[in-house]
Amino acid sequence: MVVDATPDDSGCLEVRFRESSGLDLGDVVTATIAMAPTEHFHKMYVSTPICPICGESTDDDSDRVAVGFYPKFTQLFGLGFGGWAHRKCLNMCPLIDDPTPVPW
C-alpha cells in the first residue's frame, strides 16, 4: 500500500520534520508513505511514535501500522524514515500506483 501524502488543502499531512529535526530543507514538494513489512521493520530506525500524517502520538493506538515515510523537499530529496502511522490516517490518504520506494 503506497499513498500520496503530499500537503494540500485537504490537510492530509502535517509535516513536522522541520520542528523535530531543526533542519530547514524548504517546503515539502511531495510525500509518499508505504506500509513497511513487519518482517523488515526491525531494520528501520524509528525516532518517534508521532504519526507523520496527523502529527499525533501512536503510542496508545493498538491499530498503528509500521510505515516508511518518503518526503521530498525543495532543498533535498531521497530521504526515507521509518515510523508509525494510525491506520485510520493512512486510509484517508489517496492510494497511488507508484512502486514502494524501498523494494523490500
Side-chain angles (χ1 to χ4, degrees):
M1 170 186 225
V2 180
V3 300
D4 177 10
T6 301
D8 61 15
D9 293 337
S10 70
C12 185
L13 175 69
E14 285 185 46
V15 176
R16 297 174 186 259
F17 182 80
R18 191 172 304 145
E19 292 86 359
S20 64
S21 72
L23 299 174
D24 184 3
L25 301 175
D27 294 332
V28 175
V29 178
T30 64
T32 56
I33 298 176
M35 289 179 65
T38 53
E39 66 268 19
H40 296 290
F41 191 68
H42 70 281
K43 300 174 188 175
M44 299 173 73
Y45 174 71
V46 178
S47 64
T48 178
I50 301 300
C51 175
I53 300 167
C54 72
E56 300 296 323
S57 177
T58 62
D59 275 342
D60 296 330
D61 189 343
S62 63
D63 199 26
R64 69 183 183 174
V65 292
V67 297
F69 175 53
Y70 309 95
K72 291 182 183 175
F73 298 90
T74 54
Q75 306 283 334
L76 182 68
F77 60 91
L79 295 176
F81 305 95
W84 296 104
H86 300 108
R87 186 176 303 275
K88 64 181 169 71
C89 292
L90 195 60
N91 288 340
M92 70 180 207
C93 294
L95 286 173
I96 57 176
D97 290 330
D98 293 358
T100 303
V102 175
W104 302 103

